Amino acid sequence: DGGITQSPKYLFRKEGQNVTLSCEQNLNHDAMYWYRQDPGQGLRLIYYSQIVNDFQKGDIAEGYSVSREKKESFPLTVTSAQKNPTAFYLCASRPHEKSGYTFGSGTRLTVV
Amino acid sequence: EDKVVQSPLSLVVHEGDTVTLNCSYEVTNFRSLLWYKQEKKAPTFLFMLTSSGIEKKSGRLSSILDKKELFSILNITATQTGDSAIYLCAVDSGGSNYKLTFGKGTLLTVNP
């Protein structure tokens, strides 16, 4: 079945460590996105990519980095520069503008 | 800056009630408005609206868009406990990046 797989589902990190969240899709979608969700805040865009080897900052990119070396994969690294990284992270993809997003099931990151 | 505002932010009803969720927006170039339901993790797609005045319907859920007044409503009739979720509204403001701007969501709780 086609879909988006995010891993891990839960992740704990010590302060000062970088962590990488995985996002893989087999939908053959060109565009991929990373959103962060905090209680009462809705979804806020971190980074997005429309094609391989190209990506753009979203509204809250500081402290995050991404890569898009393959169409299927769009990993997100949360760096130690992100001051408040505890949140729920959602990856999404979209085939074209006439379609909605398909979301992964998310990764909950907790800084301990 | 694109803006999507949802109201109310939370709502508690009894089974069988009818609810109306609101979404207003201010975007530079409107292309479409989307509604999602988020129960535990991945938001699931409900509707995409592009034209004013045309109701979209799926079972007990329906939605309509007013492009003149810049808002949309999502109606749920004969609510059930399974309708309890966060309902997210998002707007596609056009451009070649296909990205969506989300509101903060409405948390709906349906009590038996």
Side-chain angles (χ1 to χ4, degrees), chain A:
Chain A
D1 286 335
I4 297 182
T5 301
Q6 287 187 243
S7 62
K9 290 192 186 327
Y10 300 94
L11 186 58
F12 296 88
R13 184 195 100 172
K14 290 184 180 178
E15 280 193 32
Q17 288 181 336
N18 292 355
V19 289
T20 297
L21 282 58
S22 170
C23 177
E24 303 278 331
Q25 55 105 351
N26 59 3
L27 300 165
N28 200 34
H29 290 175
D30 286 317
M32 297 185 74
Y33 309 81
W34 274 105
Y35 283 86
R36 169 182 171 140
Q37 188 175 29
D38 296 281
Q41 290 289 327
L43 272 63
R44 293 183 289 167
L45 183 64
I46 305 173
Y47 266 98
Y48 62 99
S49 167
Q50 295 171 250
I51 56 172
V52 174
N53 292 323
D54 187 42
F55 47 83
Q56 288 80 40
K57 292 182 179 180
D59 301 317
I60 55 164
E62 186 174 349
Y64 300 98
S65 65
V66 293
S67 63
R68 187 86 186 275
E69 297 175 4
K70 299 185 299 181
K71 188 174 186 178
E72 303 79 21
S73 179
F74 191 40
L76 173 74
T77 295
V78 184
T79 75
S80 56
Q82 170 48 236
K83 298 304 176 194
N84 186 22
T86 294
F88 187 56
Y89 291 87
L90 281 163
C91 179
S93 69
R94 192 179 190 192
H96 50 70
E97 73 275 12
K98 294 184 180 177
S99 170
Y101 284 174
T102 298
F103 282 94
S105 54
T107 292
R108 188 166 299 280
L109 172 64
T110 303
V111 174
V112 296

Side-chain angles (χ1 to χ4, degrees), chain B residues 31-105:
Chain B
R31 181 152 58 193
S32 62
L33 184 144
L34 298 92
W35 285 97
Y36 286 85
K37 177 183 182 182
Q38 184 180 25
E39 290 181 80
K40 289 228 168 39
K41 295 189 175 174
T44 54
F45 174 76
L46 294 175
F47 300 111
M48 175 186 269
L49 304 159
T50 55
S51 302
S52 271
I54 299 175
E55 186 183 52
K56 294 238 175 161
K57 203 167 167 65
S58 175
R60 296 176 293 103
L61 277 66
S62 63
S63 184
I64 197 160
L65 173 68
D66 186 328
K67 289 167 74 173
K68 184 180 174 188
E69 301 297 331
L70 307 183
F71 78 89
S72 172
I73 59 172
L74 175 68
N75 277 322
I76 308 175
T77 59
T79 51
Q80 302 170 356
T81 54
D83 295 326
S84 296
I86 297 173
Y87 289 85
L88 296 165
C89 173
V91 173
D92 182 343
S93 55
S96 58
N97 54 38
Y98 303 169
K99 71 181 179 77
L100 301 180
T101 300
F102 284 82
K104 293 185 177 182

